[in-house]
Amino acid sequence: MGSVSRGLGKAEVKLKWDPSDWNRPPHHLDIIATTYSSDEPYGQPVYVVHFDSRAPDGTINMSRHSQTGQGFGFVEAMMLEFDRLAPSFARVVVGVAIHQNSGPKTFGDLSNAGVLVLDGYTELLKDDFAQVAGSTATTVAEFTKDASGRWEFHEMIRGFDCDPMVFAVEMGNAPRL
């Protein structure tokens, strides 16, 4: 007997990385989510959620944040509640950016970095950023709403070479072919 796809209700994105050596500036990474309207799913984001903000309606927010990577396991987490997101949204893109305050850093400069995307206890994505080692930011996931209104997950590992502010504007653009 087959099962009917219920779509995503909630998803969680978790991030981990090892702290820098004691005599080096801290590595500071952030999970960033951008939302896009049904009218312009590849246009400008309607709003951006990161460590210092949350969705206006509370449907996307950070539940844990780290500026150093210190702690056990995944030290940063973002919750996305698709079952409560307004019907006017068609797409949400999630990425990770490295702050460049203390000089250029790429994912290849980090140790034990990784991202995990979960639907409850189901692992949708687990990645160590190896394929974007030379990048300073990367998208990791795209969530889209289908014609019936169900939210779906799509892996979207795509590296960028820009600071977090520029990344937040560019991360949802259609990929250049």
Side-chain angles (χ1 to χ4, degrees):
M1 181 148 88
S3 64
V4 176
S5 173
R6 60 174 171 75
L8 289 171
K10 294 180 183 176
E12 185 175 23
V13 180
K14 295 181 174 188
L15 181 62
K16 69 175 184 169
W17 69 97
D18 282 347
S20 59
D21 293 335
W22 69 271
N23 59 346
R24 311 291 288 160
H27 304 309
H28 182 188
L29 283 70
D30 276 322
I31 301 170
I32 300 171
T34 52
T35 59
Y36 301 89
S37 71
S38 299
D39 296 335
E40 285 192 84
Y42 291 91
Q44 291 296 311
V46 175
Y47 58 80
V48 178
V49 178
H50 53 80
F51 75 95
D52 201 21
S53 67
R54 65 180 220 145
D57 59 4
T59 57
I60 303 173
N61 63 72
M62 299 291 294
S63 57
R64 284 195 305 177
H65 175 66
S66 174
Q67 294 185 6
T68 63
Q70 291 178 314
F72 295 105
F74 292 93
V75 295
E76 191 156 310
M78 178 181 278
M79 181 64 71
L80 300 99
E81 297 181 60
F82 297 104
D83 51 358
R84 292 186 1 171
L85 199 59
S88 60
F89 292 103
R91 185 168 172 253
V92 176
V93 176
V94 178
V96 175
I98 305 169
H99 287 266
Q100 302 296 312
N101 303 353
S102 58
K105 289 182 190 162
T106 65
F107 288 103
D109 296 326
L110 307 174
S111 61
N112 198 32
V115 64
L116 181 64
V117 180
L118 300 165
D119 174 14
Y121 294 105
T122 303
E123 189 177 287
L124 301 174
L125 170 72
K126 187 175 188 177
D127 191 82
D128 64 2
F129 304 115
Q131 60 187 317
V132 291
S135 300
T136 61
T138 183
T139 54
V140 294
E142 176 185 50
F143 300 93
T144 57
K145 189 167 54 173
D146 68 16
S148 68
R150 288 189 304 247
W151 284 91
E152 301 173 334
F153 164 81
H154 307 280
E155 181 177 317
M156 190 170 135
I157 307 293
R158 187 166 52 119
F160 290 76
D161 187 20
C162 55
D163 68 38
M165 296 303 285
V166 173
F167 176 61
V169 173
E170 294 181 355
M171 65 190 273
N173 294 347
R176 294 183 180 96
L177 301 175

